[in-house]
Amino acid sequence: MPEENKVNLNVRALSLISHKLKTPLSIINGYSEAILSQSRKEKFSPFTGKALEEINKQGKRMSQLVDKLFAFNKISAADEENLERRPVALKPLIKECAAQAIAQNEEAAPENVAPEDSSVRRGTFVEIDCPEGLSVCANEDMLRLGVQELIANSVKFNNKMEKIIKVQCANHGGSVSLSVRDYGVGIRPQDVNRIFEPFYQVDDSFTGQVSGWGLGLPMLKRILDLHGGSISVVSDRGLGSIFTINFPTL
């Protein structure tokens, strides 16, 4: 079977899987939330209450993973010639993506974990340096997904109590760049060339990361390919990473 047909077959198979998972997950999440809302009236045992909370938490997590799979399939099947584009202002989009990434990180953070030194500032802080009015001509939904993925990864692959993410944009005349810098675990040299492969994940023992599909960065790469853009990575183990995406101005 030709390689192109294999790819199309895999995309269709993944699309079918994501659709099949959506219905049972919506039922699991809906019922677990409904039961949890009655927990005070019913006076569940501590074990039952904890079990219900965990079912609801993992159900939501699976729903997020399925949504990522669905988005990846949709973007994989997108056609560059028929891509709908329009000017998109970068600064407000980055702010929106940063707020979403911080909210997701706070949801996923372990409870009752306090820093040993109470004077240590705790939380996620995104610093944005982007000229007002700077925009790119792109598909807004895809651009949002890509920027969201970059910032979310910068937060996720960082085990510090204080997580600082720096986002910087610049106009280079023929292109616009957007860089996301973190001070997390970094990426090993042998992994840098593979992180854009679908389903590839860096070893948990190195990153300490939460599990996922390994689809975020491949999806970002596909988005950039559709727009004629590019991405580069600079990373030092233990010092963090800088991901820079470039969009042509035309």
Side-chain angles (χ1 to χ4, degrees), residues 35 38-46 48-49:
I35 296 171
Q38 299 295 318
S39 60
R40 292 182 181 177
K41 297 178 182 178
E42 299 293 336
K43 295 183 180 179
F44 295 142
S45 69
T48 301

Side-chain angles (χ1 to χ4, degrees), residues 96-231:
E96 179 185 330
C97 292
Q100 184 67 23
I102 292 173
Q104 288 178 353
N105 179 64
E106 289 176 349
E107 271 185 33
E111 297 180 359
N112 303 322
V113 176
E116 295 180 4
D117 182 356
S118 59
S119 65
V120 175
R121 188 169 68 155
R122 183 181 182 184
T124 303
F125 306 91
V126 180
E127 301 175 4
I128 301 172
D129 179 8
C130 181
E132 296 289 345
L134 183 61
S135 64
V136 294
C137 187
N139 180 282
E140 185 172 1
D141 291 337
M142 288 188 182
L143 180 61
R144 181 178 287 103
L145 276 174
V147 174
Q148 171 70 35
E149 187 61 34
L150 277 183
I151 298 177
N153 269 3
S154 295
V155 175
K156 183 168 67 173
F157 292 97
N158 190 331
N159 54 12
K160 294 183 173 68
M161 300 306 300
E162 180 187 42
K163 302 179 182 184
I164 298 177
I165 313 299
K166 294 185 177 181
V167 183
Q168 186 172 35
C169 302
N171 189 342
H172 304 285
S175 66
V176 171
S177 66
L178 186 156
S179 296
V180 179
R181 178 173 187 172
D182 65 69
Y183 299 89
V185 296
I187 305 169
R188 295 174 300 190
Q190 63 266 37
D191 291 315
V192 170
N193 292 328
R194 300 198 61 191
I195 57 177
F196 297 104
E197 297 176 11
F199 301 107
Y200 181 78
Q201 290 183 290
V202 180
D203 182 17
D204 285 355
S205 63
F206 172 68
T207 64
Q209 71 125 333
V210 296
S211 59
W213 285 113
L215 290 176
L217 290 177
M219 182 169 65
L220 170 60
K221 179 66 166 57
R222 172 62 178 162
I223 290 171
L224 291 168
D225 289 343
L226 288 168
H227 287 81
S230 62
I231 185 167

Side-chain angles (χ1 to χ4, degrees), residues 88-97 130 132-134:
V88 181
L90 284 176
K91 194 165 188 176
L93 183 139
I94 294 168
K95 287 182 177 179
E96 179 185 330
C97 292
C130 181
E132 296 289 345
L134 183 61

